[in-house]
Amino acid sequence: MILILFGPPGAGKGTQCDILEQKLGIPKLSTGDMLRTAVASGTPVGKKADLIMKQGKLVPDEIVIAIIANRISVPDCEKGFMLDGFPRTVTQAEALDAMLAENGLAINKVVAFDVNEEELLKRILKRAAEAGKNKRADDDPDVFKKRMADYKKSTEPVLAYYQARNLAAHVDGMRAIDDVTAQIERLIK
Ligand code: AMP
């Protein structure tokens, strides 16, 4: 099972992936998490991504495509995986299709989270408050605006790309966490 959890920052993709990892027994592949680890370890990729992420901009396609290509070749992905935060551009979506096709694989479902912008900002601020000293540099109202602008410009077209191939389905991401999980489970049954 190859799933894409798709939606704006703060929609709950990461939270649902964490729950579904246990339920479905497939790993969560979060480019955001992998990039934050690279930044914290000071790798060459981390050094390139650090400022871009702090500004709420998108890391160049070739960097995230290479990260995902490496990650899906790890044996724990053999039974499938969930993508959180990737693809974020049509170029990334096309690259993903090509790398899956090379291995005789294809995406099963793209789960799009519907959450209004006011609620997204509320959740980002809550996540920042709860993280205290470990707060993400990009969980900030001004950076959120930039992330949303990039989402609308570069990432929303990715949904149309999957809709054209009948792969996308929507969940009401405004509902309680358990309810959203149940909606996703119904979609992928
Ligand atoms: P996230 O944890 O998914 O919100 O990602 C945090 C930040 O990492 C984003 O704002 C981008 O700067 C960067 N990032 C994560 N995934 C991608 C991606 N697929 N393409 C470009 N940049 C990404």
Side-chain angles (χ1 to χ4, degrees), residues 88-169:
R88 261 177 158 100
T89 64
V90 172
T91 303
Q92 293 176 23
E94 289 169 346
L96 175 64
D97 278 341
M99 64 179 103
L100 293 177
E102 256 174 45
N103 297 294
L105 300 169
I107 296 156
N108 295 91
K109 194 62 99 193
V110 177
V111 179
F113 287 58
D114 295 330
V115 180
N116 71 41
E117 211 165 315
E118 193 188 336
E119 175 69 14
L120 293 171
L121 179 59
K122 240 197 258 168
R123 290 185 188 178
I124 294 270
L125 296 179
K126 183 167 177 267
R127 179 164 73 186
E130 285 171 359
K133 270 196 301 199
N134 300 322
K135 167 182 129 44
R136 282 171 51 169
D138 59 353
D139 277 350
D140 151 285
D142 288 331
V143 183
F144 172 75
K145 274 189 210 152
K146 173 69 188 144
R147 290 162 74 194
M148 273 313 292
D150 274 1
Y151 176 78
K152 285 179 187 159
K153 179 165 161 263
S154 308
T155 308
E156 270 182 354
V158 176
L159 187 57
Y161 174 88
Y162 290 124
Q163 272 163 341
R165 292 161 50 204
N166 273 332
L167 283 172

Side-chain angles (χ1 to χ4, degrees), residues 3 19 23-24 38 41 59 77 94 104 107 112 114 119 125 132 156-157 162 187:
L3 285 181
I19 296 168
K23 292 197 174 221
L24 303 176
S41 328
V59 172
C77 289
E94 289 169 346
I107 296 156
D114 295 330
E119 175 69 14
L125 296 179
E156 270 182 354
Y162 290 124
L187 282 179

Side-chain angles (χ1 to χ4, degrees), residues 9 30-33 35-36 52-53 56-59 64 84-88 92 136 138 147:
S30 156
T31 38
D33 286 351
L35 287 165
R36 278 184 287 278
I52 299 173
M53 292 173 75
K57 295 181 187 166
L58 291 179
V59 172
V64 284
D84 165 13
F86 182 94
R88 261 177 158 100
Q92 293 176 23
R136 282 171 51 169
D138 59 353
R147 290 162 74 194

